[in-house]
Structure formats: structure tokens, C-alpha cells
Amino acid sequence: AEERIAVLDKKNANRNPSKTQAENSELAEVVLANVTTVPSTVSEIQARTPELAGFSTQKVSALVKILVDKGAVVKTTDKKKSLFALAESEDADAE
């Protein structure tokens, strides 16, 4: 079983991101540029990001989740509303 796990780990290490994953990564960077320190909903982020005009709120939400998973954006919940804001950088804490 350990040999099989090692083979699978080796395959996963050599795997490149798919075309969709690469596009989503680029779009996530666009979203990050439009997230502020003031908590905002996905719809508000989408409204101030012209590049996301053709995308559904569900797609933008998935892009924001990528940023939350990376730690670049912080998610808070107010009642049933999810709000997103820039995560405080470690550089600001050092000053």
C-alpha cells in the first residue's frame, strides 16, 4: 500500500494545473485587486470589478473562496450574509 501511495504522490507532484484552474487563478488575482479592507459581499465586489461583469455571482464566489483558502482574504458572517475583506498583511503587524 505504501508503494502505491508513493506512486500516486509522484503523479500528483508532476501534475500541471488545468486550463480552467489557470484561468481561475488569473481571475482570482483580478478579484483580489478589487477587495478592500472594508468588508463587502460577493455582489459588491463583482459590481466594482468590470472584468467580472459577464460572470455569475456563483463563479465570483468560487474565485473569492480561492483567495480565502490562500489566506489573502478574510471571510466574516453577519447574520446570513458573508462578507469578505483583505487579510491584514504580516508586514503591517511588524511596523
Side-chain angles (χ1 to χ4, degrees):
E2 290 177 9
E3 290 176 18
R4 184 71 180 139
I5 291 171
V7 169
L8 291 173
D9 287 342
K10 185 176 180 182
K11 281 184 181 180
N12 287 334
N14 294 331
R15 185 172 292 168
N16 292 327
S18 69
K19 181 180 174 185
T20 304
Q21 288 172 325
E23 290 172 0
N24 285 346
S25 181
E26 291 175 16
L27 286 171
E29 294 303 318
V30 170
V31 172
L32 182 60
N34 289 283
V35 176
T36 63
T37 55
V38 177
S40 306
T41 64
V42 169
S43 298
E44 293 168 342
I45 294 168
Q46 185 176 12
R48 67 174 166 251
T49 310
E51 296 90 347
L52 302 177
F55 294 106
S56 68
T57 306
Q58 186 177 6
K59 172 74 172 184
V60 177
S61 180
L63 296 171
V64 172
K65 184 180 182 320
I66 291 170
L67 297 171
V68 170
D69 292 343
K70 286 183 180 179
V73 174
V74 176
K75 176 182 177 180
T76 57
T77 306
D78 181 29
K79 298 181 183 176
K80 291 186 178 184
K81 194 184 274 191
S82 294
L83 301 171
F84 302 92
L86 284 176
E88 290 187 24
S89 66
E90 293 177 13
D91 296 337
D93 293 339
E95 292 176 13

Coordinates of all heavy atoms in Angstrom, one line a residue:
A1 N 0.8 -1.2 0.0 CA 0.0 0.0 0.0 C 0.9 1.3 0.0 O 0.5 2.2 -0.7 CB -0.9 0.0 1.2
E2 N 2.0 1.2 0.7 CA 2.9 2.4 0.8 C 3.5 2.7 -0.6 O 3.6 3.9 -0.9 CB 4.0 2.2 1.8 CG 3.4 2.2 3.3 CD 4.5 1.9 4.3 OE1 5.7 1.9 3.9 OE2 4.2 1.8 5.5
E3 N 3.8 1.6 -1.3 CA 4.3 1.8 -2.7 C 3.3 2.5 -3.6 O 3.7 3.4 -4.3 CB 4.8 0.5 -3.3 CG 6.0 -0.1 -2.6 CD 6.3 -1.5 -3.2 OE1 5.9 -1.8 -4.3 OE2 7.0 -2.2 -2.5
R4 N 2.1 2.1 -3.5 CA 1.0 2.7 -4.3 C 0.8 4.1 -3.9 O 0.6 5.0 -4.8 CB -0.3 1.9 -4.0 CG -1.4 2.3 -4.9 CD -1.2 2.0 -6.4 NE -2.4 2.4 -7.1 CZ -2.3 3.0 -8.3 NH1 -1.1 3.1 -8.9 NH2 -3.3 3.4 -8.9
I5 N 0.9 4.5 -2.6 CA 0.7 5.9 -2.2 C 1.9 6.7 -2.8 O 1.7 7.8 -3.2 CB 0.7 5.9 -0.7 CG1 -0.7 5.4 -0.2 CG2 0.8 7.4 -0.2 CD1 -0.8 5.2 1.3
A6 N 3.1 6.1 -2.7 CA 4.2 6.8 -3.3 C 4.1 7.1 -4.8 O 4.4 8.2 -5.2 CB 5.5 6.0 -3.0
V7 N 3.5 6.2 -5.5 CA 3.3 6.3 -6.9 C 2.3 7.4 -7.2 O 2.5 8.3 -8.0 CB 2.9 5.0 -7.6 CG1 2.4 5.3 -9.0 CG2 4.0 4.0 -7.6
L8 N 1.2 7.4 -6.4 CA 0.2 8.5 -6.6 C 0.7 9.9 -6.2 O 0.4 10.8 -6.9 CB -1.0 8.1 -5.7 CG -1.8 6.9 -6.1 CD1 -2.9 6.6 -5.1 CD2 -2.5 7.2 -7.5
D9 N 1.5 9.9 -5.1 CA 2.1 11.2 -4.7 C 3.0 11.7 -5.8 O 3.0 13.0 -6.1 CB 2.9 11.1 -3.4 CG 2.0 10.9 -2.2 OD1 0.8 11.2 -2.3 OD2 2.5 10.4 -1.2
K10 N 3.8 10.9 -6.5 CA 4.7 11.3 -7.6 C 3.9 11.8 -8.7 O 4.2 12.8 -9.3 CB 5.5 10.1 -8.0 CG 6.6 10.5 -9.0 CD 7.5 9.3 -9.4 CE 8.5 9.7 -10.4 NZ 9.4 8.6 -10.8
K11 N 2.8 11.1 -9.1 CA 1.9 11.6 -10.2 C 1.3 13.0 -9.9 O 1.3 13.9 -10.7 CB 0.7 10.6 -10.4 CG 1.1 9.4 -11.2 CD -0.2 8.6 -11.4 CE 0.1 7.3 -12.2 NZ -1.1 6.5 -12.4
N12 N 0.9 13.2 -8.6 CA 0.3 14.5 -8.2 C 1.3 15.6 -8.2 O 1.0 16.7 -8.5 CB -0.4 14.4 -6.9 CG -1.7 13.6 -7.0 OD1 -2.3 13.6 -8.0 ND2 -2.1 13.0 -5.9
A13 N 2.5 15.3 -7.9 CA 3.6 16.3 -7.8 C 3.9 16.8 -9.2 O 4.3 18.0 -9.4 CB 4.8 15.7 -7.2
N14 N 3.8 16.0 -10.2 CA 4.1 16.4 -11.6 C 2.9 17.0 -12.4 O 3.1 17.3 -13.5 CB 4.6 15.1 -12.4 CG 6.0 14.7 -11.8 OD1 6.7 15.4 -11.3 ND2 6.2 13.4 -12.0
R15 N 1.8 17.0 -11.8 CA 0.6 17.5 -12.4 C 0.6 19.0 -12.6 O 0.8 19.7 -11.6 CB -0.7 17.0 -11.6 CG -2.0 17.4 -12.3 CD -3.1 16.7 -11.6 NE -3.0 15.3 -11.8 CZ -3.7 14.4 -11.1 NH1 -4.6 14.8 -10.2 NH2 -3.6 13.1 -11.3
N16 N 0.3 19.5 -13.8 CA 0.1 20.9 -14.0 C -1.3 21.3 -13.8 O -2.2 20.5 -14.0 CB 0.6 21.3 -15.5 CG 2.0 21.1 -15.7 OD1 2.8 21.3 -14.7 ND2 2.4 20.7 -16.9
P17 N -1.6 22.6 -13.5 CA -3.0 23.0 -13.4 C -3.7 22.9 -14.7 O -3.1 23.2 -15.8 CB -2.9 24.4 -12.9 CG -1.5 24.8 -12.9 CD -0.7 23.6 -13.2
S18 N -5.0 22.6 -14.7 CA -5.8 22.6 -15.9 C -5.9 24.0 -16.5 O -5.6 25.0 -15.8 CB -7.1 22.0 -15.6 OG -7.9 22.8 -14.9
K19 N -6.4 24.1 -17.7 CA -6.7 25.4 -18.3 C -7.6 26.2 -17.5 O -7.4 27.4 -17.2 CB -7.2 25.2 -19.7 CG -7.5 26.4 -20.5 CD -8.1 26.1 -21.9 CE -8.5 27.4 -22.6 NZ -9.1 27.1 -23.9
T20 N -8.7 25.6 -17.0 CA -9.7 26.3 -16.1 C -9.1 26.8 -14.8 O -9.3 27.9 -14.4 CB -10.9 25.4 -15.9 OG1 -11.4 24.9 -17.1 CG2 -12.0 26.1 -15.1
Q21 N -8.2 25.9 -14.2 CA -7.6 26.3 -13.0 C -6.7 27.5 -13.2 O -6.6 28.4 -12.4 CB -6.8 25.1 -12.4 CG -7.7 24.1 -11.8 CD -6.9 22.8 -11.4 OE1 -5.9 22.5 -12.1 NE2 -7.3 22.2 -10.3
A22 N -6.0 27.5 -14.3 CA -5.1 28.6 -14.6 C -5.9 29.9 -14.8 O -5.5 31.0 -14.3 CB -4.2 28.3 -15.8
E23 N -7.0 29.8 -15.6 CA -7.8 31.0 -15.8 C -8.4 31.5 -14.5 O -8.5 32.7 -14.2 CB -9.0 30.6 -16.7 CG -8.5 30.4 -18.2 CD -9.6 29.9 -19.1 OE1 -10.8 29.7 -18.6 OE2 -9.4 29.7 -20.3
N24 N -8.9 30.5 -13.6 CA -9.4 30.9 -12.3 C -8.4 31.6 -11.4 O -8.7 32.5 -10.7 CB -10.0 29.7 -11.6 CG -11.4 29.3 -12.2 OD1 -12.0 30.0 -13.0 ND2 -11.8 28.1 -11.8
S25 N -7.2 31.2 -11.5 CA -6.1 31.8 -10.7 C -5.9 33.2 -11.2 O -5.7 34.1 -10.4 CB -4.8 31.0 -10.9 OG -3.8 31.5 -10.1
E26 N -5.9 33.4 -12.5 CA -5.7 34.8 -13.0 C -6.9 35.7 -12.6 O -6.7 36.8 -12.2 CB -5.6 34.8 -14.5 CG -4.3 34.2 -15.0 CD -4.3 34.0 -16.6 OE1 -5.1 34.7 -17.2 OE2 -3.4 33.3 -17.0
L27 N -8.1 35.1 -12.7 CA -9.3 35.9 -12.3 C -9.3 36.2 -10.8 O -9.8 37.2 -10.4 CB -10.6 35.1 -12.7 CG -10.9 35.2 -14.2 CD1 -12.1 34.2 -14.5 CD2 -11.3 36.6 -14.7
A28 N -8.8 35.3 -10.0 CA -8.7 35.5 -8.6 C -7.8 36.7 -8.3 O -8.1 37.4 -7.3 CB -8.2 34.2 -7.9
E29 N -6.8 36.8 -9.0 CA -5.9 38.0 -8.8 C -6.6 39.3 -9.2 O -6.4 40.3 -8.5 CB -4.6 37.8 -9.7 CG -3.7 36.7 -9.2 CD -3.3 36.7 -7.8 OE1 -3.0 37.8 -7.3 OE2 -3.3 35.7 -7.1
V30 N -7.5 39.3 -10.2 CA -8.3 40.4 -10.5 C -9.2 40.8 -9.4 O -9.4 41.9 -9.0 CB -9.1 40.2 -11.8 CG1 -10.1 41.3 -12.1 CG2 -8.1 40.1 -13.0
V31 N -9.8 39.7 -8.8 CA -10.8 39.9 -7.7 C -10.0 40.5 -6.5 O -10.5 41.4 -5.9 CB -11.4 38.6 -7.3 CG1 -12.2 38.7 -6.0 CG2 -12.4 38.1 -8.4
L32 N -8.8 39.9 -6.2 CA -8.0 40.4 -5.1 C -7.7 41.9 -5.2 O -7.7 42.6 -4.2 CB -6.7 39.6 -5.0 CG -5.8 39.9 -3.8 CD1 -6.5 39.7 -2.5 CD2 -4.5 39.1 -3.9
A33 N -7.5 42.3 -6.4 CA -7.2 43.8 -6.6 C -8.4 44.7 -6.3 O -8.2 45.8 -6.1 CB -6.7 44.0 -8.1
N34 N -9.6 44.1 -6.3 CA -10.8 44.8 -6.1 C -11.4 44.6 -4.7 O -12.5 45.1 -4.4 CB -11.8 44.6 -7.2 CG -11.3 45.2 -8.5 OD1 -11.4 46.4 -8.6 ND2 -10.8 44.4 -9.3
V35 N -10.8 43.8 -3.9 CA -11.2 43.6 -2.5 C -10.6 44.6 -1.6 O -9.4 44.9 -1.8 CB -10.9 42.1 -2.0 CG1 -11.3 42.0 -0.5 CG2 -11.5 41.1 -2.8
T36 N -11.4 45.2 -0.8 CA -10.9 46.3 0.1 C -10.8 45.9 1.5 O -11.2 44.7 1.9 CB -11.8 47.6 0.0 OG1 -13.1 47.2 0.5 CG2 -11.9 48.0 -1.4
T37 N -10.3 46.7 2.4 CA -10.3 46.4 3.8 C -11.7 46.5 4.4 O -11.9 46.0 5.5 CB -9.3 47.4 4.5 OG1 -9.7 48.7 4.3 CG2 -7.9 47.1 4.1
V38 N -12.6 47.2 3.7 CA -14.0 47.3 4.2 C -14.7 46.0 3.8 O -14.7 45.7 2.6 CB -14.7 48.5 3.6 CG1 -16.1 48.6 4.1 CG2 -14.0 49.8 4.0
P39 N -15.3 45.2 4.7 CA -16.0 44.0 4.4 C -17.1 44.3 3.3 O -17.9 45.2 3.4 CB -16.6 43.5 5.7 CG -15.7 44.1 6.7 CD -15.3 45.5 6.2
S40 N -17.1 43.4 2.3 CA -18.1 43.5 1.2 C -18.6 42.2 0.8 O -18.0 41.2 1.0 CB -17.4 44.1 0.0 OG -16.7 45.3 0.2
T41 N -19.8 42.2 0.3 CA -20.4 40.9 -0.2 C -19.8 40.6 -1.6 O -19.2 41.5 -2.2 CB -22.0 41.1 -0.4 OG1 -22.2 42.1 -1.4 CG2 -22.6 41.4 0.9
V42 N -20.1 39.4 -2.0 CA -19.6 39.0 -3.4 C -20.2 39.9 -4.4 O -19.5 40.3 -5.4 CB -19.9 37.5 -3.6 CG1 -19.7 37.1 -5.1 CG2 -19.1 36.6 -2.7
S43 N -21.5 40.2 -4.3 CA -22.1 41.1 -5.3 C -21.5 42.4 -5.4 O -21.3 43.0 -6.4 CB -23.6 41.2 -4.9 OG -24.2 39.9 -5.0
E44 N -21.1 43.0 -4.2 CA -20.5 44.3 -4.2 C -19.1 44.2 -4.9 O -18.7 45.2 -5.6 CB -20.4 44.8 -2.8 CG -21.7 45.1 -2.1 CD -21.6 45.4 -0.6 OE1 -20.6 45.0 0.0 OE2 -22.6 46.0 -0.1
I45 N -18.4 43.2 -4.6 CA -17.0 43.0 -5.2 C -17.2 42.9 -6.7 O -16.5 43.5 -7.5 CB -16.3 41.8 -4.6 CG1 -16.0 42.0 -3.1 CG2 -15.1 41.5 -5.4 CD1 -15.6 40.8 -2.4
Q46 N -18.2 42.1 -7.1 CA -18.5 41.9 -8.6 C -18.9 43.2 -9.2 O -18.4 43.5 -10.3 CB -19.5 40.9 -8.8 CG -19.8 40.5 -10.2 CD -20.8 39.4 -10.4 OE1 -21.5 39.0 -9.4 NE2 -20.9 38.9 -11.5
A47 N -19.7 44.1 -8.5 CA -20.1 45.3 -9.1 C -19.0 46.3 -9.4 O -19.0 47.1 -10.3 CB -21.2 46.0 -8.2
R48 N -18.0 46.3 -8.6 CA -16.8 47.2 -8.7 C -15.7 46.6 -9.5 O -14.6 47.2 -9.6 CB -16.4 47.8 -7.4 CG -15.7 46.8 -6.5 CD -15.1 47.5 -5.2 NE -14.8 46.5 -4.2 CZ -15.5 46.3 -3.1 NH1 -16.5 47.1 -2.8 NH2 -15.1 45.4 -2.3
T49 N -15.9 45.4 -10.1 CA -14.9 44.8 -10.9 C -15.4 44.6 -12.3 O -16.1 43.6 -12.6 CB -14.5 43.4 -10.3 OG1 -14.2 43.6 -8.9 CG2 -13.3 42.9 -11.0
P50 N -15.1 45.5 -13.3 CA -15.7 45.4 -14.6 C -15.3 44.1 -15.3 O -16.1 43.6 -16.1 CB -15.1 46.6 -15.4 CG -14.4 47.5 -14.3 CD -14.3 46.7 -13.1
E51 N -14.2 43.5 -15.0 CA -13.8 42.3 -15.7 C -14.7 41.1 -15.4 O -14.7 40.1 -16.0 CB -12.3 41.9 -15.3 CG -11.3 42.9 -15.8 CD -11.0 44.0 -14.8 OE1 -11.8 44.2 -13.8 OE2 -10.0 44.7 -14.9
L52 N -15.4 41.2 -14.3 CA -16.3 40.1 -13.8 C -17.8 40.3 -14.3 O -18.6 39.6 -13.8 CB -16.2 40.0 -12.3 CG -14.8 39.8 -11.7 CD1 -14.9 39.7 -10.2 CD2 -14.3 38.5 -12.3
A53 N -18.0 41.3 -15.1 CA -19.4 41.6 -15.5 C -20.1 40.5 -16.1 O -21.3 40.3 -15.9 CB -19.4 42.8 -16.4
G54 N -19.5 39.6 -16.9 CA -20.1 38.5 -17.5 C -20.3 37.3 -16.7 O -20.8 36.3 -17.2
F55 N -19.7 37.3 -15.5 CA -19.7 36.1 -14.7 C -20.9 36.0 -13.7 O -21.4 37.1 -13.3 CB -18.4 35.9 -13.9 CG -17.2 35.7 -14.8 CD1 -16.3 36.7 -15.0 CD2 -17.0 34.5 -15.4 CE1 -15.2 36.5 -15.9 CE2 -15.9 34.3 -16.3 CZ -15.0 35.3 -16.5
S56 N -21.3 34.8 -13.3 CA -22.4 34.7 -12.3 C -21.8 35.0 -10.9 O -20.6 34.9 -10.7 CB -23.0 33.3 -12.4 OG -22.0 32.4 -11.9
T57 N -22.7 35.3 -10.0 CA -22.3 35.5 -8.6 C -21.7 34.2 -8.1 O -20.7 34.3 -7.3 CB -23.5 35.9 -7.8 OG1 -24.1 37.1 -8.4 CG2 -23.1 36.3 -6.4
Q58 N -22.2 33.1 -8.5 CA -21.6 31.8 -8.0 C -20.2 31.6 -8.5 O -19.4 31.2 -7.7 CB -22.5 30.7 -8.6 CG -22.1 29.3 -8.1 CD -23.1 28.2 -8.6 OE1 -23.9 28.5 -9.5 NE2 -22.9 27.0 -8.1
K59 N -19.9 32.0 -9.7 CA -18.5 31.9 -10.2 C -17.6 32.9 -9.4 O -16.5 32.5 -9.0 CB -18.5 32.3 -11.7 CG -17.1 32.4 -12.3 CD -16.4 31.1 -12.5 CE -15.1 31.3 -13.3 NZ -14.5 30.0 -13.6
V60 N -18.0 34.1 -9.2 CA -17.2 35.1 -8.4 C -17.0 34.6 -7.0 O -16.0 34.7 -6.4 CB -17.9 36.5 -8.4 CG1 -17.1 37.5 -7.6 CG2 -18.0 37.0 -9.9
S61 N -18.1 34.0 -6.4 CA -18.0 33.4 -5.1 C -16.9 32.3 -5.0 O -16.1 32.3 -4.1 CB -19.3 32.8 -4.7 OG -19.3 32.3 -3.4
A62 N -16.8 31.5 -6.0 CA -15.8 30.5 -6.1 C -14.4 31.1 -6.2 O -13.4 30.6 -5.6 CB -16.0 29.6 -7.3
L63 N -14.3 32.2 -6.9 CA -13.0 32.9 -7.0 C -12.6 33.5 -5.7 O -11.4 33.4 -5.3 CB -13.0 34.0 -8.1 CG -13.3 33.5 -9.5 CD1 -13.5 34.7 -10.5 CD2 -12.1 32.7 -10.0
V64 N -13.5 34.0 -5.0 CA -13.3 34.6 -3.7 C -12.8 33.5 -2.7 O -12.0 33.7 -1.9 CB -14.5 35.4 -3.1 CG1 -14.3 35.8 -1.7 CG2 -14.7 36.6 -4.0
K65 N -13.5 32.3 -2.8 CA -13.1 31.2 -2.0 C -11.7 30.8 -2.2 O -11.0 30.4 -1.2 CB -14.0 30.0 -2.2 CG -13.8 28.9 -1.2 CD -14.7 27.7 -1.5 CE -14.4 26.6 -0.5 NZ -13.1 26.2 -0.2
I66 N -11.2 30.9 -3.4 CA -9.8 30.6 -3.7 C -8.9 31.5 -2.9 O -7.9 31.1 -2.2 CB -9.5 30.7 -5.2 CG1 -10.2 29.6 -6.0 CG2 -8.0 30.7 -5.4 CD1 -10.1 29.8 -7.5
L67 N -9.3 32.8 -2.8 CA -8.5 33.8 -2.1 C -8.6 33.6 -0.6 O -7.6 33.8 0.1 CB -8.9 35.2 -2.5 CG -8.7 35.5 -3.9 CD1 -9.4 36.9 -4.3 CD2 -7.2 35.6 -4.3
V68 N -9.7 33.1 -0.1 CA -9.9 32.8 1.3 C -9.0 31.7 1.7 O -8.4 31.7 2.7 CB -11.4 32.6 1.7 CG1 -11.6 32.0 3.1 CG2 -12.2 33.8 1.5
D69 N -9.0 30.6 0.9 CA -8.2 29.4 1.1 C -6.7 29.8 1.1 O -5.9 29.2 1.9 CB -8.5 28.3 0.1 CG -9.9 27.7 0.2 OD1 -10.5 27.9 1.3 OD2 -10.3 27.1 -0.7
K70 N -6.3 30.7 0.3 CA -4.9 31.2 0.3 C -4.5 32.0 1.5 O -3.4 32.3 1.8 CB -4.6 32.0 -1.0 CG -4.5 31.1 -2.2 CD -4.1 32.1 -3.4 CE -4.0 31.3 -4.7 NZ -3.7 32.2 -5.8
G71 N -5.6 32.6 2.1 CA -5.3 33.5 3.3 C -5.2 34.9 2.9 O -4.9 35.8 3.7
A72 N -5.5 35.3 1.6 CA -5.4 36.7 1.2 C -6.6 37.5 1.5 O -6.5 38.7 1.7 CB -5.1 36.7 -0.3
V73 N -7.7 36.8 1.7 CA -9.0 37.4 2.0 C -9.6 36.7 3.3 O -9.4 35.5 3.4 CB -10.0 37.3 0.8 CG1 -11.3 37.8 1.2 CG2 -9.4 38.0 -0.4
V74 N -10.2 37.6 4.1 CA -10.9 37.0 5.3 C -12.4 37.1 5.1 O -12.9 38.0 4.7 CB -10.5 37.9 6.5 CG1 -11.2 37.4 7.8 CG2 -9.0 37.9 6.7
K75 N -13.0 35.9 5.5 CA -14.5 35.8 5.4 C -15.1 36.0 6.8 O -14.6 35.4 7.8 CB -14.9 34.5 4.9 CG -16.4 34.3 4.8 CD -16.7 32.9 4.3 CE -18.2 32.6 4.4 NZ -18.5 31.3 3.9
T76 N -16.1 36.9 6.9 CA -16.8 37.0 8.1 C -18.3 36.9 7.8 O -18.7 37.1 6.6 CB -16.6 38.4 8.8 OG1 -16.9 39.4 7.8 CG2 -15.2 38.6 9.2
T77 N -19.1 36.5 8.8 CA -20.5 36.3 8.6 C -21.3 37.2 9.5 O -21.1 37.3 10.7 CB -20.9 34.8 8.8 OG1 -20.0 34.0 8.1 CG2 -22.3 34.6 8.5
D78 N -22.2 38.0 8.9 CA -23.1 38.9 9.6 C -24.5 38.4 9.4 O -25.1 38.5 8.3 CB -22.9 40.3 9.1 CG -23.8 41.3 9.9 OD1 -24.1 41.0 11.1 OD2 -24.2 42.3 9.3
K79 N -25.1 37.7 10.4 CA -26.4 37.0 10.2 C -26.2 36.0 9.1 O -25.5 35.0 9.3 CB -27.5 38.0 10.0 CG -27.7 38.9 11.2 CD -28.9 39.9 10.9 CE -28.9 40.8 12.1 NZ -29.9 41.8 11.9
K80 N -26.9 36.1 8.0 CA -26.8 35.1 6.9 C -25.9 35.7 5.8 O -25.8 35.0 4.7 CB -28.2 34.7 6.4 CG -29.0 33.9 7.4 CD -30.2 33.4 6.7 CE -31.0 32.6 7.7 NZ -32.2 32.0 7.1
K81 N -25.3 36.8 5.9 CA -24.6 37.5 4.9 C -23.1 37.3 5.1 O -22.5 37.5 6.1 CB -24.9 39.0 4.9 CG -24.4 39.8 3.7 CD -24.7 41.2 3.9 CE -26.1 41.6 3.5 NZ -26.3 43.1 3.4
S82 N -22.4 36.7 4.0 CA -21.0 36.6 4.1 C -20.3 37.8 3.5 O -20.7 38.3 2.5 CB -20.6 35.4 3.2 OG -21.1 34.2 3.7
L83 N -19.3 38.3 4.3 CA -18.6 39.5 3.9 C -17.1 39.1 3.8 O -16.6 38.3 4.6 CB -18.8 40.6 5.0 CG -20.2 41.0 5.3 CD1 -20.3 41.9 6.5 CD2 -20.8 41.7 4.1
F84 N -16.5 39.8 2.8 CA -15.1 39.5 2.6 C -14.3 40.8 2.6 O -14.7 41.8 2.1 CB -15.0 38.8 1.2 CG -15.8 37.6 1.1 CD1 -17.0 37.6 0.6 CD2 -15.2 36.4 1.5 CE1 -17.8 36.4 0.5 CE2 -16.0 35.2 1.4 CZ -17.3 35.2 1.0
A85 N -13.1 40.7 3.2 CA -12.2 41.8 3.2 C -10.7 41.3 3.1 O -10.5 40.2 3.3 CB -12.3 42.6 4.6
L86 N -9.9 42.3 2.8 CA -8.4 41.9 2.7 C -7.9 41.4 4.0 O -8.3 42.0 5.1 CB -7.6 43.1 2.2 CG -7.7 43.5 0.8 CD1 -6.9 44.7 0.5 CD2 -7.1 42.4 -0.1
A87 N -7.1 40.4 4.0 CA -6.5 39.9 5.2 C -5.4 40.9 5.6 O -4.7 41.5 4.7 CB -5.9 38.5 5.0
E88 N -5.2 41.2 6.9 CA -4.1 42.0 7.3 C -2.8 41.4 7.0 O -2.6 40.2 7.3 CB -4.2 42.3 8.8 CG -5.4 43.2 9.2 CD -5.4 43.6 10.6 OE1 -4.3 43.6 11.2 OE2 -6.4 43.9 11.1
S89 N -1.9 42.1 6.3 CA -0.6 41.6 6.0 C 0.3 41.5 7.2 O 0.1 42.3 8.1 CB 0.0 42.4 4.9 OG 0.3 43.7 5.4
E90 N 1.2 40.6 7.1 CA 2.2 40.4 8.2 C 3.1 41.6 8.3 O 3.6 41.9 9.4 CB 2.9 39.1 8.1 CG 2.0 37.9 8.2 CD 2.8 36.6 8.0 OE1 4.0 36.6 7.9 OE2 2.1 35.6 7.8
D91 N 3.3 42.3 7.2 CA 4.2 43.5 7.1 C 3.6 44.6 8.0 O 4.4 45.3 8.6 CB 4.4 44.0 5.7 CG 5.1 42.9 4.8 OD1 5.8 42.1 5.4 OD2 4.9 43.0 3.6
A92 N 2.3 44.7 8.0 CA 1.7 45.8 8.8 C 1.8 45.5 10.3 O 2.0 46.4 11.0 CB 0.2 45.9 8.4
D93 N 1.8 44.3 10.6 CA 2.0 43.9 12.0 C 3.4 44.2 12.5 O 3.6 44.5 13.7 CB 1.7 42.4 12.2 CG 0.2 42.1 12.0 OD1 -0.6 43.0 12.0 OD2 -0.1 40.9 11.7
A94 N 4.4 44.1 11.6 CA 5.8 44.3 12.0 C 6.1 45.8 12.3 O 7.0 46.1 13.0 CB 6.7 43.8 10.9
E95 N 5.3 46.7 11.7 CA 5.6 48.1 11.8 C 5.1 48.6 13.1 O 4.5 48.4 13.9 CB 5.0 48.9 10.7 CG 5.6 48.6 9.4 CD 4.9 49.3 8.2 OE1 4.1 50.2 8.5 OE2 5.2 48.9 7.1

